[in-house]
Amino acid sequence: MKRPNDAAAATPSKSEPQRGSTNEWSTRHSVLRSAQRAAALVNVLGAEDDDGAEPTADSLAALAAVLREYGETDPLDLSDADVADMRGVAAQLREVFAAPGVDAAATRLNRLLAEGCGPVRLTAHGGGSPWHIHLDSADTAPWAEWFLASSCMALAVLVWDRQRPPGGVCASARCANVYVTGGSGAERRYCSPRCATRERVADHRRAKERRPSQRDQGRKGREENR
């Protein structure tokens, strides 16, 4: 379960600063950063070797590291049941990232919003943060409910703002990570520069292997001239 002061809205994380730092709070909990957190959690929770298995110490540590990276503070108090439920949410959110177009992304988000998110409410966590919108049932909602609600709202706002899918799945055959797309520019295909570079190198090698060498071309020319 989440701690009493945990947040579960579109943009906030669950560890909230004091009310006096409204601008800092808004920057730290922007829609884009919340969407990026959703992608990071989908990736860490969606590893194939974790499917249906109890979380290991390593998988719990990886999940905790992502939560801390996006502003959560100890103690996180993640139970095995919390992780199992969050994995289920991750699988549902992956469908949004994998949507082939904006219409499909919006349809899948609408389904998740209708089935798994509560009515819109405002909370300030007892004065611990600026007033902001939540879609979970309470500030003490379980981790999985927070994960779904905060992710759906952030991704929905990106669809609304950009009129395009909020993200995608890495095009590398060796990677299944999801990512959040940029606001403009060329369409993104890979989750990271590392994957993009690896695929470019692989394409170059394949092209080189298909292209006959100068020696082979010279030998073929001599044979044709005989």
Side-chain angles (χ1 to χ4, degrees), residues 3-130:
R3 299 184 306 279
N5 288 331
D6 290 346
T11 55
S13 73
K14 295 184 306 205
S15 302
E16 305 293 351
Q18 294 302 309
R19 184 185 292 274
S21 54
T22 302
N23 291 336
E24 178 187 355
W25 185 93
S26 297
T27 300
R28 289 175 55 212
H29 304 303
S30 68
V31 168
L32 179 59
R33 184 158 175 81
S34 294
Q36 291 169 338
R37 179 186 63 203
L41 288 171
V42 167
N43 291 336
V44 76
L45 287 160
E48 290 185 1
D49 56 357
D50 284 346
D51 188 21
E54 292 187 2
T56 64
D58 288 343
S59 64
L60 280 172
L63 173 57
V66 171
L67 291 170
R68 293 188 185 104
E69 179 183 354
Y70 285 90
E72 306 309 322
T73 56
D74 292 321
L76 295 176
D77 296 329
L78 284 162
S79 69
D80 289 357
D82 287 328
V83 177
D85 291 342
M86 291 179 76
R87 285 177 181 166
V89 171
Q92 293 177 302
L93 292 172
R94 177 174 287 276
E95 295 180 3
V96 177
F97 285 99
V102 64
D103 290 348
T107 297
R108 295 173 188 186
L109 275 169
N110 278 339
R111 175 173 53 81
L112 293 178
L113 286 165
E115 295 177 356
C117 298
V120 175
R121 64 186 181 88
L122 285 164
T123 181
H125 302 284
S129 73

Side-chain angles (χ1 to χ4, degrees), residues 149-172:
S150 61
S151 299
C152 282
M153 187 178 285
L155 296 175
V157 171
L158 289 186
V159 171
W160 171 26
D161 181 56
R162 301 173 176 179
Q163 297 298 302
R164 61 191 296 184
V169 180
C170 188
S172 173

